[in-house]
Amino acid sequence: MRLDQQPAYVLHARPYRETSLLLECLTRDHGRLGVVARGVRGERARLRRAQLEPFQALALDLLLRGELATLAGAEVVGMPLRLAGEHGLAGLYLNELVVRLTARQDAQPVLFDAYARTLARLAASEPVAWTLRRFERDLLEAIGYGLQLRQEADGDGLLQAQAHYRYDVEQGALRCTAGAPHAVRGADLLALADDRMPDRTGMAALRQLMREVIRYHLGGGELRAWRVLAGVQPQR
Amino acid sequence: MTSLLLSSLIEALRCLPGVGGKSAQRMAFHLLERDRERGLKLADALREAMQRIGRCARCRDFSEEPLCATCAGSTRDHHLLCVVESPVDLAAIEQATGYRGHYFVLHGRLSPLDGLGPEELGLAQLAQRLGEGEVEELIIATNPTVEGEATAHYLAQLARAGGVRPTRLAHGVPLGGELEYVDRGTLAHAFGGRMPCDHP
C-alpha cells in the first residue's frame, strides 16, 4: 500500500545497516509504524537526517508492506518546533509513552491530534507537568483505557469534590479517608476531567495516580524517562 | 566454498562496518595469497585490543591502562572538561581544535527508548568530578540531535549544581555552505544564535 503525504512525527530513530535508519513514527491514519529510511545517514545525507528528528511535523510518503514501511519521501511541515531543556526531556517522555503503550498499525487519529497539541504546548513553554498529565489522560482515552473521572466506582454517585478517593485501575475512584496512601481529592479528579490545572497538592496526587495507572498498563514495568525526569529540577 | 576455515574467516570479516560478502571475500583472499605475515599481525593486534582495551576510570574513554594518557598526563588544563557522546567525537575534536583540556565520554546520550538513562552514561561519576572543585568550565559537546540536546540540558544542570560554568558548542551554517541549501532547523538555530560582529 502506498501512503502519500501522510501526517507523521518521528518518535525514535535507531541506526540500521550502514547508512539507514529504522524509525518509529506516529502517523495520523495508520497509528504507530516502523519505517525503514534508506540512505539517510552519513556525510552526504545530513539534510535528510536533520528532517527526520523527533518533534517535527512531517508529511511522509510511505510504502507499507507487511510489518514495516519504507520511506519514499519526507517533507517538513511548518516551522521547526524548538523544545529546549526540560521541554525536550518531556518530549522524550511522550515518545516513550506512545511507543510503550500503543501497538503498531493501530490507527489513532485522536491520539495523533493529542500528540501534536502536546508538542505545541511544550514548545510554547506551558507548565510541563500539567501538559504531560493532559496528554496521559488523552492517550489512555484514545487507546481504550480512559479514566473514570466523574463517577464513583461503588454506586452510581457522581464524584464529590470534597471527598477523597483511591483510584483503582480496574474499578475506578473508590472512596477512602483523607490520609490513606495514594488518596486524591475528588476536586483534583474533576479538574483533570474538566481540563483545569489543579493546585500543587493536586498535581502531585495526579502524577502519582497516573504513574500507577501507566505502570499497570505496562504490565508492571517502569518508564526509563521517569528516571531521567527525576534527575532534573523544574525551572519554574 | 570447500574450506571451512576460509568461509568462517569470510563470515567473521563481515562484522566490520561497510564490509559485505564480496569485500570480505576479497580481504580473505588477499591476506591468504599475498600477505600472510601482516594477516597474522592483524590477528595479534585484534586479539590484544579486544582483550586489553577497557575504559579509563576517569574519563571513560577507551584505554588499556586504568587511566588513559590524557587523564594521567599533567600538561593538560585541569579546569576545562569537555563532554562527548562517543570516543569518535573525542577524536574529531582532538583533530580539529587546539583543545588542551580534559574529556568525559558518555558512550551514548539520554535516550529512554534505547534504555539509556543517567546510570548508563556514568553521570554520577561526572557529578562527583564536577564536585571536586577543579573543573571551572564544562564544555558540552553532545550532538545537536533531540536526544543530544536533552542530554545537554541535563548536563548543564549537573554543572550548575556543582558550581561549574556550562558552555555548549555553537550551532550554525557549515563553512562553505550556502543558506539556500541549509535545512530549516539549522538555519533557525544559526539565526537565533547570531553573534555581534564587534570582535576586539
Side-chain angles (χ1 to χ4, degrees):
Chain A
M1 191 181 5
R2 225 195 125 84
L3 311 178
D4 285 320
Q5 296 284 302
Q6 178 63 219
Y9 288 94
V10 171
L11 299 172
H12 184 241
R14 71 168 56 100
Y16 175 65
R17 301 244 177 107
E18 272 314 290
T19 58
S20 303
L21 286 175
L22 186 57
L23 306 172
E24 207 60 52
C25 297
L26 183 65
T27 64
R28 193 189 60 198
D29 302 325
H30 296 266
R32 184 159 69 82
L33 283 181
V35 176
V36 180
R38 290 191 205 285
V40 292
R41 283 165 60 217
E43 278 172 51
R44 260 169 284 174
R46 207 178 305 124
L47 286 180
R48 307 264 324 262
R49 179 73 182 86
Q51 288 185 352
L52 296 174
E53 281 284 293
F55 313 146
Q56 169 67 61
L58 298 169
L60 301 182
D61 294 333
L62 299 168
L63 219 57
L64 185 56
R65 261 171 310 185
E67 172 83 347
L68 288 177
T70 310
L71 185 71
E75 227 171 84
V76 172
V77 179
M79 297 273 289
L81 281 183
R82 181 137 164 67
L83 299 190
E86 195 197 356
H87 299 90
L89 290 169
L92 293 182
Y93 167 69
L94 290 188
N95 290 356
E96 190 185 11
L97 200 59
V98 172
V99 170
R100 296 281 299 274
L101 283 183
T102 62
R104 272 185 178 170
Q105 305 204 13
D106 183 10
Q108 305 284 3
V110 179
L111 172 62
F112 184 84
D113 292 342
Y115 181 82
R117 205 163 50 232
T118 305
L119 286 187
R121 284 177 182 149
L122 288 175
S125 293
E126 289 189 24
V128 171
W130 177 234
T131 304
L132 295 181
R133 294 300 89 76
R134 293 162 100 181
F135 178 72
E136 289 162 349
R137 177 199 62 201
D138 296 342
L139 170 69
L140 291 169
E141 185 77 45
I143 60 176
Y145 297 138
L147 299 177
Q148 214 34 267
L149 295 171
R150 297 193 188 275
Q151 306 256 314
E152 290 187 350
D154 30 10
D156 304 322
L158 292 175
L159 276 187
Q160 301 300 308
Q162 311 82 358
H164 284 77
Y165 296 90
R166 177 176 70 78
Y167 197 89
D168 182 277
V169 182
E170 295 193 337
Q171 300 179 59
L174 298 160
R175 281 229 194 191
C176 71
T177 52
H182 300 311
V184 49
R185 293 172 302 195
D188 299 327
L189 295 175
L190 289 168
L192 185 60
D194 295 337
D195 213 26
R196 283 181 285 110
M197 183 170 162
D199 62 13
R200 203 180 240 278
T201 319
M203 285 300 295
L206 288 181
R207 174 167 169 273
Q208 184 75 32
L209 184 158
M210 281 299 192
R211 284 215 174 178
E212 289 306 319
V213 174
I214 290 165
R215 198 173 278 136
Y216 177 87
H217 291 305
L218 288 173
E222 289 270 319
L223 289 178
R224 285 271 167 171
W226 283 341
R227 280 193 293 145
V228 177
L229 285 170
V232 288
Q233 300 93 40
Q235 289 159 318
R236 287 155 291 112
Chain B
M1 192 104 14
T2 45
S3 163
L4 213 63
L5 272 179
L6 183 55
S7 45
S8 81
L9 172 61
I10 292 173
E11 195 48 46
L13 284 168
R14 288 186 55 175
C15 75
L16 293 167
V19 176
K22 193 87 186 163
S23 313
Q25 187 177 322
R26 253 179 60 221
M27 289 176 183
F29 280 127
H30 173 81
L31 290 175
L32 284 171
E33 280 178 315
R34 309 212 183 116
D35 229 343
R36 293 207 179 208
E37 198 177 317
R38 284 206 275 182
L40 284 171
K41 236 169 117 181
L42 172 66
D44 287 342
L46 256 179
R47 179 169 297 279
E48 279 282 280
M50 291 306 116
Q51 287 177 341
R52 290 188 40 212
I53 293 181
R55 286 183 189 177
C56 168
R58 204 160 159 75
C59 72
R60 295 175 28 111
D61 190 14
F62 290 136
S63 166
E64 62 264 38
E65 307 293 337
L67 272 187
C68 71
T70 314
C71 288
S74 55
T75 56
R76 290 211 161 220
D77 187 345
H78 293 284
H79 303 309
L80 295 176
L81 185 62
C82 177
V83 187
V84 291
E85 287 186 17
S86 72
V88 186
D89 300 335
L90 190 158
I93 292 179
E94 274 295 282
Q95 285 157 17
T97 68
Y99 179 65
R100 297 296 297 159
H102 285 268
Y103 290 96
F104 189 86
V105 183
L106 300 175
H107 291 280
R109 64 239 156 273
L110 288 180
S111 175
L113 280 167
D114 291 313
L116 294 174
E119 293 92 1
E120 286 77 13
L121 305 184
L123 295 189
Q125 191 186 336
L126 178 63
Q128 190 194 344
R129 181 147 171 201
L130 293 174
E132 284 167 11
E134 205 173 40
V135 179
E136 287 169 7
E137 179 181 347
L138 185 74
I139 302 164
I140 302 169
T142 53
N143 289 330
T145 58
V146 159
E147 287 159 355
E149 289 296 337
T151 311
H153 173 71
Y154 196 102
L155 292 172
Q157 283 208 338
L158 216 58
R160 287 189 206 103
V164 174
R165 185 168 68 98
T167 54
R168 179 90 174 101
L169 294 198
H171 303 287
V173 179
L175 288 184
E178 294 174 40
L179 294 191
E180 184 185 353
Y181 298 115
V182 173
D183 69 285
R184 291 189 201 182
T186 304
L187 192 53
H189 260 301
F191 199 84
R194 60 191 182 276
M195 307 273 284
C197 287
D198 46 325
H199 286 298

